[in-house]
Amino acid sequence: MTFYSLPFLCFLAVTIFVYFLAPKRFRWIVLLTASYVFYFLNSKWLIIVLFAQTAVTYAAGLLIRRVQDRGKLYLSEHKEELSKEERKAVKGRTRRSAKHILLIGAALNLGILLLLKYSNFFIDNANRVLSFSGIRLPSTCFLLPLGISFYTLQALSYLIDIYREKLEPDRNLGKFMLFLSFFPQIVQGPIPRHAQLAAQLYAGHSFDLKRLERGAQLILWGWIKKLIIAEYLALPVARIFSDYQAYPGSAVFLGAAFYGLQVYADFSGGMDMARGVSEIFGIGLQQNFRQPYFSVSVEDFWRRWHITLGEWMRDYVFYPLSLSGAFTALGRKARKWLGNSAGKRLPSFLSMFLVYFLVGFWHGPEWKYIAYGIWNGIFIASSILLTDVYGRMRGALRIRGDSLPWHIFQILRTFFLITLGRFFSRADSFPIAIRMMGRMASGLFDFRWINRAGLEDLGLNLRSWACLLVFLAIAFAVDLLHERNTAIREEISKKPIVIRWAIYYAAILAIMIFGVYGPEYDPAAFIYEQF
Amino acid sequence: MTEQIMKILADIRPDVDFEHETALIDDAVLDSFDLITIIGEFNEAFGIEIDVEDIEPANFNSAAAMEELIRRLVNEDD
């Protein structure tokens, strides 16, 4: 039951109806029931895995807090008797006990994720290494529970925040079950923090017609992005990636660029739907995208793309690693042989490199995804290490950092680098991605294929190409307005009712006429749903 | 201490008005790399250990907030 199917619309309508009909204090139970029904309809008995991870995380959260509270109680009861060293020792013991529980909770969550999602990756690679010995490990055959990569990170952040004493654990198992399973976000995020989302989920919100309208606006825009832009782009992308040797370099580059746009339309469209559905219930999900194609560097791109994953990695991998004793000591040593400036940045450089390795691996159990992460990591980490060099180069070339041509150059450069990275994530394998890059380089400026026959050969007729270009232009205009801080939905809501409804009808008609859907068409799942 | 803090901050980000900025993190004036560099410098200059738990907007939104954090950690060590 996907977000853009008729059964989902019926399910949503029933949930909205029951939610606002139920007494306020029971409304979270309606959301919990809907979320577990939605999960069961999508993943059947794999719902047990979700529940098991929920139960483990819930128990671990309570245990961590109990250990911390006991330590504090002991210290306050024995304040007078204990010396400074003894107080420190008690604090240390408490911290260690809490850490052990955190590690067990995290290991169980990550263990399930690794077993179900990554076991074959490790087995296949072990078999390659062991091939000379004749030993062959059998492959596993696990089904992947819906959203496991997303809700596992959510569960880990919950436990770490409790351990860091930034969060009170949930006492009510039912409420915590809702936090990990909320149906609009379980498919592909965003990856919320408990402090940001939980209270909103547990409160009973009143019905608000304006919110319903605003939520519906987002859902409609999400459908347009998914059912028109992403689905149209999918056809030339599939043609080019499945038979790249038949196309000149510029078409191969276009395939990667289109794939980037396809993922953007698909993923951000899904996010719009998730945020729109949540808004109807009075729940605000975090933005996951902020006009990524206006980024001026690869680093900037990752601050605007899949924001909640980036923030998760920053708070739970980058900061702890950069500040760890080992990395700090390394930074000190590195100053001697790299110089003061670069040496200081080395811990950040290494941490960032590891973060992007993990970002790549998180996307899927294949080397090509690791290469995708490392590709991005190289540009970001090198920009940390070479900040001074870049600054001096700009100075020598007398380039003004705030000039418009430089800004546009930076956007185009970032687009090119990000697009090259797409070869890794979309090609069938790492070696094919490299070969595609070679093919691209051999004829990047060969545009002779751009004619009617050449374009139609990519799977879209001229009418479809025109339609795609119009909707890409609309999407670009929307992002441009957002980039200039225009609140488009508020502007639409302020318009007279006739104009407002004309826009909504136009959007609905566009989806009905141009959208790729219907019983004869089997739309692909969201790209990120598979991660 | 105030002067030393301002000098460290100005060395790392000379383009930022640390005297008046009060939303360095909330408005994304400082990014995560700046923050790690600043923390490293503070740790070294004041002999403290700013932990990952201390990385909160409230502690780094302004130079004054950073000073308060440093003073708290210095006193904790005493």
Side-chain angles (χ1 to χ4, degrees), chain A residues 84 95 163-164 166 299 303 314-315 318-320 322-323 332 335 344-345 347-348 352 380 384, chain B residues 12 31-33 35-37 39-41 43-44 49-56 76-78:
Chain A
K84 192 179 167 187
R95 205 179 163 85
Y163 172 75
R164 291 177 179 174
K166 288 184 175 179
E299 183 192 339
R303 274 200 293 266
R314 180 196 66 196
D315 291 348
F318 178 74
Y319 283 149
S322 300
L323 294 178
R332 258 185 230 121
R335 285 185 210 184
K344 269 184 212 168
R345 294 195 191 108
S348 304
M352 193 44 68
I380 295 170
I384 301 171
Chain B
I12 293 168
D31 63 22
S32 45
F33 306 112
L35 211 54
I36 290 299
T37 316
I39 290 172
E41 293 291 316
N43 285 349
E44 203 170 299
E49 208 171 294
I50 297 175
D51 215 342
V52 69
E53 283 91 343
D54 300 314
I55 302 182
E56 279 191 35
E76 254 177 35
D77 283 353
D78 295 339

Side-chain angles (χ1 to χ4, degrees), chain A residues 217-243:
Chain A
Q217 287 173 343
L218 262 183
I219 295 171
L220 272 179
W221 180 230
W223 275 342
I224 287 176
K225 285 202 264 185
K226 168 68 185 165
L227 294 179
I228 301 178
I229 301 176
E231 293 298 334
Y232 276 41
L233 285 168
L235 295 167
V237 168
R239 286 273 169 98
I240 293 167
F241 274 85
S242 63
D243 192 16

Side-chain angles (χ1 to χ4, degrees), chain A residues 36 47-63 105 108-109 112 151 155 158-159 170 173-174 176-177 180:
Chain A
Y36 265 67
I47 199 168
I48 294 167
V49 178
L50 169 68
F51 181 74
Q53 284 184 259
T54 305
V56 163
T57 311
Y58 169 78
L62 285 177
L63 274 173
L108 286 171
N109 269 300
I112 291 172
Y151 74 70
Y158 171 78
L159 287 180
D170 263 323
L173 175 62
F176 185 65
M177 284 165 68
L180 277 196

